[in-house]
Amino acid sequence: MEKIPFNKPHMTGKELYYIAQAHFNGMLAGDGPFTQKCHQWLQQHTGAARALLTHSCTAALEMAALLLDIQPGDEIIMPSYTFVSTANAFVLRDGVPVFVDIRADTLNMDEKLIEAAITEKTRAIVPVHYAGVACEMDSIMAIARKHGLAVVEDAAQGVMAGYKGRTLGSIGDLGAYSFHETKNVISGEGGALLIRDGELVQRAEIIREKGTDRSRFFRGEVDKYTWQEPGSSYLPGELIAAFLWAQLEEGAAITAARLQLWQTYHALLAPLEEQGLLRRPIIPEGCRHNAHMYYVLLPPTCDRDACIAAMKRENIYPVFHYVPLHDSPAGRRLARVSGELTVTEELAPRLLRLPLWIGLNTVLQGHICRALQGAMVKSMR
Ligand SMILES: *Cc1c(COP(=O)(O)O)cnc(C)c1O
């Protein structure tokens, strides 16, 4: 059997055509015609007041920390079960991540634990929509309003996913998307910051343009641009935006194709769940996910490393996911924990992600599921 990698970036076919157009236009810096197209698409599809392309989701999260004016010692509530950038963006401003446990069903931050983590120093809540499945945003927004906190959605995995009729990334004050090649809609490296309401837009544009009002200058709103506040360079060049435009145009088709693959796994693995061999993902009512990921939770008696090794011997490459941040060298030094992280600690070592990319088919997925079952049986402790 041919090698089945964990991920294969999907190309829509128009990427090089649009890159050639950008080349022909002779405009290669940021915020050219392709960037504008991407901004408009993102605004139309999310309802955000403003979308701004960035060179990564990491950059969008860093912009969020600057926009919220995070000061040394400010606390930011987030799950420990997330990617490092969620925490790093705030730590770079000397903020302190405060980790709360996750829900056993979605592996998202447990909204019921947030209030207990709030102190006088709390400034923001950062829900992470794991696998493109929404956090319980109604509760999170209500808690934030009650305590006067900002909400920054880490929607890196949530492009084109929804919650009760709204689009992920546009529910909190700020939202961050990723277009990294491992995500659904891609540009190699890439991301976007979504700004829900108008007030923060002007400062966001300044922070993204080296702390200057260059964006207003380009629109003819001021006659020269100057240094306005601390900022950096967060915008991607036009070649990246041209690539991304080819992907965004096909965003609906990409999501539909992935959802079909996701459903196939879900059906194929139902019998294993019935036998109590593994647990499949759970999608709560009101969540419209985007099939970013198909994972299974192995039983506690299964040795995950052995299981991965056994599948690799069949030329199939599943992968594990986050080492919880509170359990990392930097996390222990730079963050603190609120309450017990029992679910995080129990489930993180049991999670296995299966290959999911456009080009897989039912035959290959059947092969993967059979290999998984065989590997699990061999890996029981
Ligand atoms: C991928 C990811 C990021 C980082 O995205 P980049 O675009 O690579 O910076 C941040 N948070 C989460 C939850 C992610 O999955």
Side-chain angles (χ1 to χ4, degrees):
M1 203 44 132
E2 208 182 313
K3 177 181 168 179
I4 304 179
F6 172 66
N7 183 51
K8 250 192 204 176
H10 170 70
M11 309 293 173
T12 69
K14 282 208 177 161
E15 287 83 357
L16 289 178
Y17 172 66
Y18 290 142
I19 286 174
Q21 273 189 24
H23 178 271
F24 180 79
N25 291 345
M27 279 191 60
L28 300 179
D31 281 345
F34 282 105
T35 305
Q36 302 308 337
K37 276 180 194 286
C38 293
H39 285 172
Q40 265 153 26
W41 189 99
L42 288 167
Q43 283 156 205
Q44 266 162 19
H45 282 77
T46 64
R50 190 82 167 101
L52 293 169
L53 290 195
T54 56
H55 50 71
S56 62
C57 176
T58 302
L61 291 165
E62 287 180 27
M63 281 185 67
L66 280 163
L67 259 173
L68 297 179
D69 204 15
I70 295 299
Q71 296 296 313
D74 284 354
E75 294 181 348
I76 300 92
I77 298 172
M78 62 181 70
S80 167
Y81 191 66
T82 183
F83 189 60
V84 288
S85 297
T86 320
N88 255 332
F90 297 93
V91 165
L92 284 171
R93 315 248 55 83
D94 290 324
V96 181
V98 175
F99 299 129
V100 297
D101 208 0
I102 50 173
R103 293 162 48 138
D105 58 352
T106 55
L107 313 191
N108 282 334
M109 173 192 251
D110 187 340
E111 67 282 355
K112 293 191 192 72
L113 302 175
I114 294 173
E115 277 201 295
I118 295 174
T119 71
E120 277 173 8
K121 291 185 182 160
T122 308
R123 286 292 318 284
I125 306 171
V126 187
V128 180
H129 306 297
Y130 188 66
V133 179
C135 295
E136 190 39 59
M137 290 307 291
D138 278 348
S139 313
I140 293 171
M141 295 309 293
I143 294 166
R145 263 193 298 276
K146 181 173 155 199
H147 296 271
L149 306 174
V151 173
V152 179
E153 293 177 72
D154 183 338
Q157 303 174 15
V159 176
M160 304 207 68
Y163 169 82
K164 299 187 183 175
R166 283 168 289 165
T167 305
L168 299 193
S170 68
I171 303 168
D173 302 273
L174 299 166
Y177 279 168
S178 174
F179 304 118
H180 185 264
E181 82 161 39
T182 53
K183 302 301 202 282
N184 290 16
V185 171
I186 60 174
S187 59
E189 303 283 349
L193 179 69
L194 301 185
I195 302 145
R196 190 192 57 211
D197 306 317
E199 304 105 76
L200 288 174
V201 169
Q202 195 169 318
R203 278 192 59 231
E205 288 180 350
I206 288 170
I207 287 167
R208 178 168 166 270
E209 268 284 18
K210 301 92 183 165
T212 73
D213 53 354
R214 187 162 159 183
S215 299
R216 298 190 66 200
F217 173 71
F218 280 145
R219 287 196 296 264
E221 294 166 17
V222 289
D223 60 5
K224 57 181 179 304
Y225 69 87
T226 56
W227 189 18
Q228 304 285 324
E229 64 169 292
S232 188
S233 183
Y234 288 118
L235 63 170
E238 272 287 280
L239 297 183
I240 292 283
F243 191 107
L244 181 62
W245 177 241
Q247 294 265 324
L248 287 175
E249 272 192 326
E250 294 297 320
I254 290 169
T255 310
R258 293 185 69 97
L259 279 165
Q260 201 180 356
L261 295 165
W262 195 100
Q263 288 299 350
T264 300
Y265 272 134
H266 211 54
L268 287 170
L269 293 171
L272 299 196
E273 187 175 69
E274 273 156 33
Q275 291 163 41
L277 268 172
L278 51 74
R279 205 202 86 188
R280 296 177 305 158
I282 296 170
I283 313 293
E285 213 174 307
C287 296
R288 184 172 49 80
H289 77 101
N290 60 0
H292 172 60
M293 185 193 301
Y294 199 91
Y295 69 80
V296 296
L297 291 170
L298 302 172
T301 45
C302 182
D303 179 336
R304 182 175 63 176
D305 289 342
C307 186
I308 292 174
M311 288 185 79
K312 282 186 178 164
R313 284 195 292 276
E314 304 278 328
N315 239 352
I316 300 167
Y317 288 74
V319 293
F320 56 86
H321 215 182
Y322 308 128
V323 174
L325 298 182
H326 73 282
D327 213 10
S328 65
R332 280 193 287 271
R333 217 165 53 239
L334 302 167
R336 75 175 177 80
V337 165
S338 171
E340 306 272 320
L341 302 190
T342 323
V343 181
T344 305
E345 283 172 358
E346 195 207 312
L347 298 188
R350 288 171 44 195
L351 187 132
L352 187 71
R353 294 183 289 161
L354 301 180
L356 199 163
W357 36 268
I358 295 174
L360 279 178
N361 56 49
T362 309
V363 174
L364 289 173
Q365 289 181 283
H367 171 64
I368 293 166
C369 292
R370 279 189 301 277
L372 170 65
Q373 184 170 7
M376 280 173 62
V377 170
K378 279 183 225 148
S379 311
M380 290 300 178
R381 282 188 272 246

